[in-house]
Amino acid sequence: NEQQLEAAFQARIDAEEKIEPKDWMPERYRKNLIRQISQHAHSEVIGMQPEGNWITRAPTLHRKAVLLAKVQDECGHGLYLYSATETLGITREELIEALHSGAAKYASIFNYPSLTWADIGAIGWLVDGAAIVNQVSLQRTSYGPYARGMVRICKEESFHQRQGYHIMMTLMQGSDEQRAMAQDAVNRFWWPSLMMFGPHDAESAHSAQSMTWKIKRQSNDELRQKFVDQSVEQAEVIGLTLPDPDLKWNEERGHYDFGEIDWDEFNRVISGSGPCNRQRIAHHVAAHEDGAWVREAIAAHEAKKQQRASK
Ligand code: ACO
């Protein structure tokens, strides 16, 4: 019966076995995974917008080629993750519809505008840096297709993080104006980057269950702390100041203490009222509609092929 199946399922999870698409799984596990992986996929795809915005204005041909490659990687990440979600028995059309209707979320960070070239550095360094901390942990997630997707994504993501840090380092070695531009980008992107890890553990609706099922391997607050600890040193090396007066080393904890996130802002942004939410979704809807003819052409071609084969 259901209870025995669920106990056997949990035993497999506890033994660190991966769950594969055709294995038995509780319906709530399947739903929770569809929710998390699809939101992760949407984040990768919507995340192309703030950076795509700068491809034509990158300061050198080299930077342009690198940024173009990076944005294409993000698209690829979205596609692996949509495929992983589809193994759970939901269609791509349903997933896109949930994004467009607002039923599915995507990472809050991509609702902030990229105003200057330094923002591309800050996004690579901080946003991709935060994404890696989370995704390294997800390489050990219990669902096989998700875990395997994360391995490749992490490799590419670490290149993204370095390209961002390199932009920041270059700006910090430049003129006063360039240094000010880099600092301004950090001032605007630091707090939203900390929000990427989600609410505090005590406020996190899905955490307890996701940790038991080993969908999540480390908690929102643990991962956020790890990110803060690594970023402080990276900022110091190139002379940037993180905009938090409460940031200081705590000898006893062996970690940096830091200030409180503006949770009102977080809640506004995840519920659709951040600076760019409407623009991001409108752009995705328009791109999806513009691409309708490609999907229709593929379907028509497939139908013709099948007709020919059945003659
Ligand atoms: N942005 C948008 N929504 C968020 C964020 C955020 N930064 N943090 C939490 N939420 C949402 C959750 O999706 C959930 O909403 P839902 O119930 O409508 O799905 C709600 O807030 C409550 O949060 P939690 O219970 O903590 O949710 P969860 O356990 O899923 O943890 C987390 C959130 C940490 C983001 C998790 O889903 C995760 O690790 N996802 C995979 C990583 C990912 O999506 N990265 C995307 C950014 S990286 C990139 O694209 C470069």
Side-chain angles (χ1 to χ4, degrees):
N1 65 18
E2 188 85 0
Q3 236 169 0
Q4 283 167 330
L5 283 167
E6 192 148 347
F9 174 82
Q10 189 62 46
R12 290 188 63 198
I13 301 263
D14 294 344
E16 294 292 324
E17 274 180 48
K18 294 283 178 238
I19 306 302
E20 297 298 337
K22 290 182 177 160
D23 296 348
W24 186 88
M25 61 185 83
E27 194 51 21
R28 288 170 302 127
Y29 176 87
R30 198 179 67 83
K31 288 242 165 69
N32 193 11
L33 269 178
I34 289 177
R35 180 193 65 83
Q36 176 166 329
I37 311 176
S38 68
Q39 296 193 9
H40 196 165
H42 298 324
S43 305
E44 300 282 357
V45 169
I46 296 290
M48 293 163 75
Q49 291 187 39
E51 294 186 290
N53 177 35
W54 277 91
I55 291 172
T56 55
R57 292 174 290 164
T60 67
L61 182 59
H62 174 72
R63 293 282 188 209
K64 186 181 183 125
V66 170
L67 183 59
L68 191 61
K70 177 195 189 284
V71 173
Q72 283 175 341
D73 285 352
E74 304 293 359
C75 178
H77 299 175
L79 297 181
Y80 316 146
L81 288 166
Y82 281 129
S83 299
T85 320
E86 286 170 275
T87 65
L88 291 156
I90 186 160
T91 65
R92 186 79 63 95
E93 289 72 21
E94 290 170 298
L95 297 172
I96 301 296
E97 170 51 32
L99 172 68
H100 288 175
S101 72
K105 296 189 173 74
Y106 56 89
S108 48
I109 190 78
F110 301 121
N111 292 307
Y112 292 83
S114 50
L115 302 175
T116 70
W117 172 250
D119 288 10
I120 299 305
I123 291 173
W125 172 40
L126 297 174
V127 175
D128 293 312
I132 296 176
V133 168
N134 171 284
Q135 288 167 336
V136 162
S137 178
L138 287 172
Q139 288 176 346
R140 295 190 303 120
T141 191
S142 56
Y143 189 57
Y146 194 22
R148 290 187 288 274
M150 281 299 117
V151 174
R152 171 154 177 194
I153 289 177
C154 282
K155 286 191 180 139
E156 294 178 346
E157 213 74 75
S158 60
F159 151 69
H160 300 170
Q161 196 264 355
R162 281 168 206 205
Q163 69 87 37
Y165 192 62
H166 195 265
I167 291 173
M168 293 315 248
M169 190 174 73
T170 309
L171 288 171
M172 291 306 285
Q173 289 166 351
S175 63
D176 286 351
E177 224 179 335
Q178 286 168 317
R179 279 195 294 275
M181 193 196 278
Q183 183 61 54
D184 170 61
V186 171
N187 293 349
R188 284 180 291 107
F189 275 92
W190 174 249
W191 288 104
S193 299
L194 297 190
M195 294 177 195
M196 287 174 69
F197 296 93
H200 281 311
D201 298 346
E203 313 289 325
S204 164
H206 304 289
S207 274
Q209 183 61 74
S210 291
M211 297 284 278
T212 307
W213 279 330
K214 298 188 180 172
I215 290 174
K216 283 165 90 167
R217 304 302 308 246
Q218 284 172 291
S219 79
N220 297 3
D221 285 323
E222 272 178 286
L223 293 170
R224 184 165 22 240
Q225 181 71 60
K226 206 169 174 186
F227 174 69
V228 170
D229 291 346
Q230 78 178 34
S231 301
V232 173
E233 273 173 40
Q234 291 171 357
E236 265 168 19
V237 170
I238 55 175
L240 284 163
T241 307
L242 298 176
D244 179 358
D246 296 328
L247 193 64
K248 68 169 192 300
W249 179 250
N250 182 326
E251 192 63 51
E252 218 169 281
R253 293 201 308 122
H255 291 292
Y256 283 90
D257 288 338
F258 55 100
E260 196 51 75
I261 286 170
D262 180 346
W263 295 109
D264 288 341
E265 176 178 326
F266 172 78
N267 287 320
R268 264 198 315 278
V269 176
I270 68 167
S271 56
S273 302
C276 300
N277 296 58
R278 280 186 199 85
Q279 180 187 333
R280 299 292 185 237
I281 292 298
H283 187 84
H284 194 281
V285 169
H288 191 67
E289 284 170 2
D290 281 352
W293 69 271
V294 179
R295 295 187 294 278
E296 283 160 17
I298 293 170
H301 179 65
E302 276 306 315
K304 277 186 197 164
K305 262 195 347 200
Q306 275 177 15
Q307 216 174 29
R308 269 198 300 267
S310 64
K311 263 185 197 161

